Amino acid sequence: MSTCATVSRDFDEPISGTAATARTWLLLEQPGPWGARALTSSHLDPALGRALEAAAKGTGVRIALIRRPGRHADCGTPAVRRLYAAHTTPGNAWLHTATTADPERLLDLDFAALGSGDHRTFDTALQGRPHTGGPLALVCTNGKRDRCCALLGRPLATELAASGVGGIWEVTHLGGHRFSPTVLVLPYGYAYGRAEAHTVKEVLHGVREGRIVLEGCRGSSAWERPGQAAELAVRTAVHEFAADALSVVRTENAVRTDGAAPRWEVTVAHADGRHWRVVVAQGASLPPRPESCGTSVLGAPARMDVVAVRELTPTALAG
């Protein structure tokens, strides 16, 4: 059976620069089935789901539902739900947790503050505290959004949980289902595609050491897509794996007068003061292919192609 993930893998579609963008992730435990738009088509009150979507819009916060790996029969509303909030900006990455029996309390959050990296609103409104366990690995299993996430994501989540790996949750749509199984790792917010159990275990081991694994990495959710590709390109070029070492400090659209595809000049900074200028061009993944199992329309998904990586001298940086 051909799926969008099979076609993407067969065509060797690049995955760098394809992660969902979110400076802060807000995760709410919601067992049971999930629809295509999970916040309003699950066992969560749809009115609450709509209110949360409205509250988070434009704040840099992305809300997702999570559940434990395994069967998802309709077993009623949980008495107590697990909550997580994670900020992904280098130098201020954190992961806090809380529990609540009343998910409407999430509406008491200051979403703008949460998106800017201030965890005090989470701690105050929900009696949150720093997460003291290991990192989280969120495996997309939202099959109603795309069947690849169920066919490939659920077995991965089950295998990881059964092997005793901690911090494994199923999660709603992470974007890019044609790269299934897709995984988001917190607190640093790096996403992975075409993931296998051994890779996820290596990634989690790296996170415990403050280190990023580049194999299968789609990018950091802290940056827009050009910045994701640029940061990964610099990491690869200089063999830098420390999680907090690099930041995207500027992304400029290059002026095009020839009608060509968009191009960006991205400045990536190292914590030690070094800077790089990375040229990223938007390309098209050819030949045309289905971008989702839910459509028969063929498309050419945008790809982020790194054209050049150049370290800046102090003189060039000043200019």
Side-chain angles (χ1 to χ4, degrees), residues 5 9 34 67-70 72 137-143 146-161 168-171 174 177 179-183 192 194-197 200:
R9 186 186 294 267
W34 298 330
R67 63 191 178 196
R68 297 290 186 181
H72 306 298
L138 312 174
V139 183
C140 180
T141 61
N142 199 170
D146 190 279
R147 66 183 179 182
C148 285
C149 299
L151 292 173
L152 302 174
R154 285 181 183 171
L156 175 62
T158 299
E159 179 182 354
L160 289 167
I168 306 300
W169 291 86
E170 297 186 10
V171 68
L174 291 178
H177 26 249
F179 305 119
S180 295
T182 59
V183 180
Y192 292 82
R194 303 178 187 136
E196 299 180 4
V200 176

Side-chain angles (χ1 to χ4, degrees), residues 12-266:
D12 197 24
E13 181 181 352
I15 64 175
S16 174
T18 65
T21 299
R23 294 191 304 272
T24 301
W25 292 84
L26 179 61
L27 310 174
L28 168 63
E29 183 180 3
Q30 179 57 62
W34 298 330
R37 295 181 59 86
L39 275 181
T40 54
S41 54
S42 68
H43 289 173
L44 184 70
D45 180 357
L48 173 59
R50 287 190 292 271
L52 288 171
E53 286 180 334
K57 186 176 182 180
T59 64
V61 177
R62 180 162 174 153
I63 304 173
L65 303 182
I66 57 174
R67 63 191 178 196
R68 297 290 186 181
R71 297 178 60 85
H72 306 298
D74 181 359
C75 55
T77 301
V80 178
R81 304 165 189 253
R82 174 63 59 183
L83 303 167
Y84 292 101
H87 190 65
T88 61
T89 301
N92 187 35
W94 48 259
L95 175 62
H96 282 219
T97 188
T99 58
T100 185
D102 180 11
E104 289 198 5
R105 293 180 60 193
L106 270 69
L107 294 175
D108 295 333
L109 293 171
D110 182 338
F111 280 85
L114 195 62
S116 69
D118 186 347
H119 55 71
R120 289 175 297 179
T121 179
F122 183 83
D123 297 346
T124 301
L126 299 163
Q127 287 73 61
R129 61 195 181 280
H131 173 63
T132 56
L136 305 184
L138 312 174
V139 183
C140 180
T141 61
N142 199 170
K144 292 294 185 182
R145 188 69 176 246
D146 190 279
R147 66 183 179 182
C148 285
C149 299
L151 292 173
L152 302 174
R154 285 181 183 171
L156 175 62
T158 299
E159 179 182 354
L160 289 167
S163 67
V165 178
I168 306 300
W169 291 86
E170 297 186 10
V171 68
T172 50
H173 184 54
L174 291 178
H177 26 249
R178 64 188 182 279
F179 305 119
S180 295
T182 59
V183 180
L184 175 72
V185 179
L186 296 174
Y188 297 123
Y190 283 82
Y192 292 82
R194 303 178 187 136
E196 299 180 4
H198 70 90
T199 305
V200 176
K201 292 176 183 178
E202 182 183 350
V203 168
L204 291 174
H205 179 71
V207 169
R208 293 185 189 97
E209 298 179 343
R211 177 172 51 84
I212 301 303
V213 171
L214 298 185
E215 180 186 355
C217 190
R218 300 174 61 195
S220 167
S221 72
W223 319 124
E224 299 291 339
R225 291 187 60 185
Q228 294 172 14
E231 188 231 26
L232 291 179
V234 172
R235 285 190 179 277
T236 300
V238 302
H239 306 289
E240 178 57 78
F241 308 110
D244 284 335
L246 299 180
S247 295
V248 175
V249 296
R250 184 178 299 107
T251 300
E252 300 174 312
N253 283 86
V255 177
R256 306 303 299 269
T257 59
D258 54 3
R263 180 176 290 223
W264 299 267
E265 291 188 351
V266 183

